[in-house]
Amino acid sequence: MAERVYPQWKEYIHYETTLQERRPVKRGRDVEEHLPMSSASFHILLALAGGAQHGYSIMREIRESTDGRIRVAPATLYRLIGGLLRSELIEEFEPGDPSYEDERRKYYRLTTFGRRVLTEETKRLVATVELARERRIIPRLS
Amino acid sequence: MISRKHRGARALSVVAHDVLIRAYPASFRAEYANEMRWAFSHLCADAIASRGLAGLLEVWIDTLVDFPASVIATHRERWQERAPLSWATPLMLTVLPVAVVARTMVDGADVAASFLHLSSVAAYCGAIRLWLAMRGATSAGQRIVFVISCAAASATFLRDTRMCMDALRQSPASIAIGFATIAVPVAAALASLRAAHAYLEVRKPIT
């Protein structure tokens, strides 16, 4: 059925039809729709900002970069990866290069849209930190 | 060099984790089960290499703490994907209060009894909801739950039908009012949902 393959019904695809071509033009994909992000999703995108990685290396990087404060279990990681794939913030990536750790694994990388969302979320967090500094919750950087 | 005891603990952990994976939706497992197994196996190996069995225990604590919430969230997400324009929930929300009124009339204004009978209405609703959820599902466990729910709902439905027939024999007027009470809002709800669905169909892309 048509709706099964089109769960995001709010995000309409409008077709520009001409005599020669019929191509879909995506509209309504708004960065704001994805903000604020959950902490785990944000860290997944942050891990992928450095380049394509497979699931386990994403988990490892999150754990290491947060000194073990954020530990994402495999089930939650792949559930969030599924959501990020559907939202087109990340995409699967076929490694053709033997330098990748394990070519049999699924690799993921940030899309251009995902990078924009990550940038906006980072700006939002920075603004929150600035607000906390203004309210003297944390000291100002000298 | 990993010891034999640690190798055994890791293998056992991976097998136990495979059992946990069975709780996730079939479509999710088809996509990610292999990756999850592989990631968990590496997680265990790293934990054992760095902290021995204490590290493995920490991995298990994290996994078990995460398990209930992630199972529920995954099922909810997959369900929402399968039925984005589901009419069942608003229909049931309409039917439930109407059923209370109808039951009250049939049972002779005993509101407490009506609320008790809500359990049977909930059984019908659960069966319909499950039927919708089961479309395309392949898990044996889900099929068993579906069959048991259908059996329970059928038994309740037959009992209620008998009760309604008895009430109809005793007081035809009240049961007619009861049916009208149910039919009018249900028809109105269905009509409005049909209209909304038709509108969304028009706005949908050509596939």
Side-chain angles (χ1 to χ4, degrees), chain B residues 44-60:
Chain B
C44 292
D46 280 1
I48 288 170
S50 61
R51 293 184 54 208
L53 289 178
L56 184 63
L57 183 67
E58 194 179 51
V59 169
W60 265 111

Side-chain angles (χ1 to χ4, degrees), chain A residues 11 26 29-38 41-42 44-46 48-49 80-92 108-119 121:
Chain A
E11 184 188 299
K26 275 202 167 185
R29 204 165 64 157
D30 191 3
V31 170
E32 293 295 319
E33 274 179 26
H34 299 279
L35 305 182
M37 302 185 82
S38 71
S41 296
F42 177 72
I44 290 171
L45 294 188
L46 211 53
L48 292 175
L80 294 174
I81 282 178
L84 295 171
L85 283 169
R86 283 192 295 278
S87 307
E88 297 178 15
L89 301 184
I90 63 172
E91 62 190 0
E92 274 190 38
Y108 305 97
R109 67 180 172 194
L110 266 185
T111 59
T112 312
F113 179 60
R115 194 169 285 275
R116 271 175 55 208
V117 171
L118 181 61
T119 306
E121 176 66 358

